Amino acid sequence: MNAVLPNHADVVVIGGGIIGCSTAYHLARDHNLNVVLLEQNRLTSGSTWHAAGLVGQLRSSASITQVLKYSVDLYKKLEAETGLQTGWKMTGCLRLATNQDRWIEYRRLATTAQSFGMDMHLLSPAEVKKMWPLLDVSDLIGASFLPTDGQASPSDITQALAKGARMHGAKLIEGVRVSGFNMSANRISAVHTNLGMITCGKVVNCAGMWARQIGAMAGVVVPLQPVKHQYVITEKLKGLSADAATIRDPDLRTYFKEEVGGLVFGGYEPDPIPWTEGDVPATFEFQLFEDDFDHFEQHMSAALQRIPALADCGVKKMINGPESFTPDGNFILGKSPECANMFVGAGFNAFG
Ligand SMILES: Cc1cc2nc3c(=O)[nH]c(=O)nc-3n(C[C@H](O)[C@H](O)[C@H](O)COP(=O)(O)OP(=O)(O)OC[C@H]3O[C@@H](n4cnc5c(N)ncnc54)[C@H](O)[C@@H]3O)c2cc1C
């Protein structure tokens, strides 16, 4: 049966990834608005379905920390509200420091954490070793530990948010591709789709790596670039505890999390590989790129340095998917300067 497009919405949300579903959920729950979410393919089918699922809260920016802390509080409550699991597991997160600058950064963060009511601990290398025996701590100055960080399933969170949005009255319609806007002065008055037109009061552009293209349809510049981002999932790793804390090792540019007895690990390389320079195809749905173990080698070496036991552990799977990165590494959130009623939520830089 073909979906039917309503004639009008107070707000049209474009994109059914985690950001679009969260936006629809909050607008419907907190503002009692008539919300319609349009997804060109299926919910989660862009970048969301293959995210690793690390969830951290503390950043050097106070406002970003507040947003991230709110997310964790929401993940804890969402299952009770919707009946759908989110995979939320509060393992805590260890951030490793191998130099004085990093250590000073963590000491500052510990103060910031206190001001947000978060109990962040600074640990010695010996304490880190006790908590995570498989880690090589010989080069560490110390680590920070935030017990309330953790991991979740991005697809499950998205489905829970989608269900919550529907429970609060939003309409989420899959298989509807936005192709343009009716503009009057610098306002959008209607959204064009393959199923016809829908008039609206506001548009929220949550189209992930397509957000640049959607923005351009309304004269809005959304500076982001899809980049290939990889992680591997290992076989079971002997000695790894099921509730092991997630690890961020910024000096080696890697991250780790436990998953069914094995490890998920990946990283941020200084020479990332951009994907397309032109438009992202609309048909890119639940797709990945070819494994690129040559490019991943830098993360593999770093991971082996940090967890030597990985040398005897097989790789079960590699995930190589696209994620949007922005020039300054910050996400793009808020009202666009160019169009009076387009808002943007995109470019999340595998934020974690
Ligand atoms: C390998 C990898 C690991 C990652 N790990 C983590 C992690 O551990 N923690 C973390 O926080 N993040 C992580 N990320 C990043 C995370 O996946 C993304 O930031 C997040 O999923 C982006 O969600 P989104 O809703 O903005 O985009 P998407 O999920 O891509 O959703 C955008 C949606 O918009 C739809 N759309 C586009 N154009 C149109 C149109 N014209 N009409 C209608 N619909 C349209 C698309 O079909 C798509 O479904 C990772 C990413 C990768 C690639």
Side-chain angles (χ1 to χ4, degrees):
M1 197 180 81
N2 281 338
V4 178
L5 198 65
N7 295 324
H8 179 78
D10 295 332
V11 184
V12 170
V13 177
I14 304 171
I18 193 164
I19 303 301
C21 290
S22 177
T23 303
Y25 169 78
H26 286 93
L27 288 173
R29 188 194 71 177
D30 300 344
H31 300 278
N32 196 24
L33 290 165
N34 165 10
V35 178
V36 173
L37 180 149
L38 305 177
E39 164 55 47
Q40 64 186 355
N41 296 311
R42 280 171 288 165
L43 299 183
T44 76
S45 64
S47 289
T48 295
W49 69 279
H50 52 56
L54 275 84
V55 182
Q57 299 165 92
L58 261 183
R59 296 295 190 277
S60 38
S61 149
S63 51
I64 293 178
T65 300
Q66 266 174 308
V67 171
L68 295 171
K69 183 172 184 292
Y70 170 81
S71 301
V72 166
D73 292 341
L74 177 68
Y75 300 159
K76 288 182 198 158
K77 293 186 287 205
L78 208 52
E79 183 176 341
E81 184 188 355
T82 64
L84 294 185
Q85 291 186 350
T86 58
W88 169 247
K89 196 160 92 165
M90 201 173 86
T91 55
C93 176
L94 277 168
R95 287 165 202 263
L96 312 182
T98 64
N99 59 61
Q100 279 302 337
D101 286 348
R102 188 74 64 196
W103 189 234
I104 290 168
E105 182 192 335
Y106 292 170
R107 284 168 53 199
R108 285 204 184 113
L109 277 179
T111 314
T112 312
Q114 257 185 344
S115 68
F116 286 108
M118 290 190 262
D119 195 14
M120 182 168 148
H121 310 274
L122 294 173
L123 306 182
S124 68
E127 288 170 313
V128 174
K129 185 79 181 167
K130 203 167 163 207
M131 186 180 274
W132 234 99
L134 295 175
L135 285 186
D136 180 343
V137 298
S138 57
D139 61 340
L140 294 192
I141 292 180
S144 69
F145 179 62
L146 190 60
T148 52
D149 277 351
Q151 58 189 70
S153 159
S155 291
D156 291 349
I157 294 173
T158 308
Q159 295 296 351
L161 287 165
K163 183 172 177 194
R166 289 190 183 102
M167 285 163 61
H168 292 288
K171 290 191 181 63
L172 280 65
I173 313 177
E174 295 176 295
V176 185
R177 176 156 195 264
V178 171
S179 52
F181 302 111
N182 272 4
M183 306 280 301
S184 156
N186 71 336
R187 292 186 72 82
I188 296 170
S189 53
V191 178
H192 292 268
T193 79
N194 57 321
L195 290 191
M197 207 173 75
I198 172 169
T199 59
C200 63
K202 292 186 174 71
V203 168
V204 191
N205 175 0
C206 302
M209 61 187 158
W210 293 265
R212 185 182 55 76
Q213 289 153 238
I214 295 285
M217 293 173 191
V220 172
V221 177
V222 183
L224 54 80
Q225 169 66 44
V227 168
K228 294 182 177 179
H229 190 59
Q230 301 191 92
Y231 63 80
V232 295
I233 307 166
T234 73
E235 306 282 359
K236 280 194 187 332
L237 180 62
K238 214 170 149 207
L240 180 65
S241 147
D243 58 0
T246 57
I247 298 206
R248 293 169 199 257
D249 192 351
D251 301 324
L252 288 179
R253 294 192 297 267
T254 45
Y255 58 81
F256 304 86
K257 73 157 203 184
E258 186 276 343
E259 189 168 293
V260 284
L263 270 181
V264 165
F265 68 87
Y268 302 90
E269 54 273 30
D271 56 342
I273 303 177
W275 181 33
T276 169
E277 285 178 14
D279 282 357
V280 178
T283 50
F284 195 89
E285 178 190 13
F286 291 121
Q287 285 181 53
L288 293 173
F289 306 117
E290 297 255 304
D291 297 350
D292 186 347
F293 278 97
D294 286 344
H295 195 67
F296 195 76
E297 176 55 31
Q298 52 194 311
H299 301 312
M300 189 61 90
S301 314
L304 284 166
Q305 180 184 330
R306 186 57 67 211
I307 305 177
L310 279 172
D312 301 318
C313 186
V315 168
K316 206 158 62 177
K317 199 171 176 189
M318 170 173 269
I319 301 285
N320 184 3
E323 161 66 339
S324 309
F325 284 81
T326 58
D328 65 359
N330 285 315
F331 47 73
I332 303 163
L333 197 66
K335 193 172 175 181
S336 79
E338 300 95 338
C339 171
N341 60 346
M342 178 181 272
F343 294 73
V344 181
F348 283 87
N349 303 280
F351 212 67

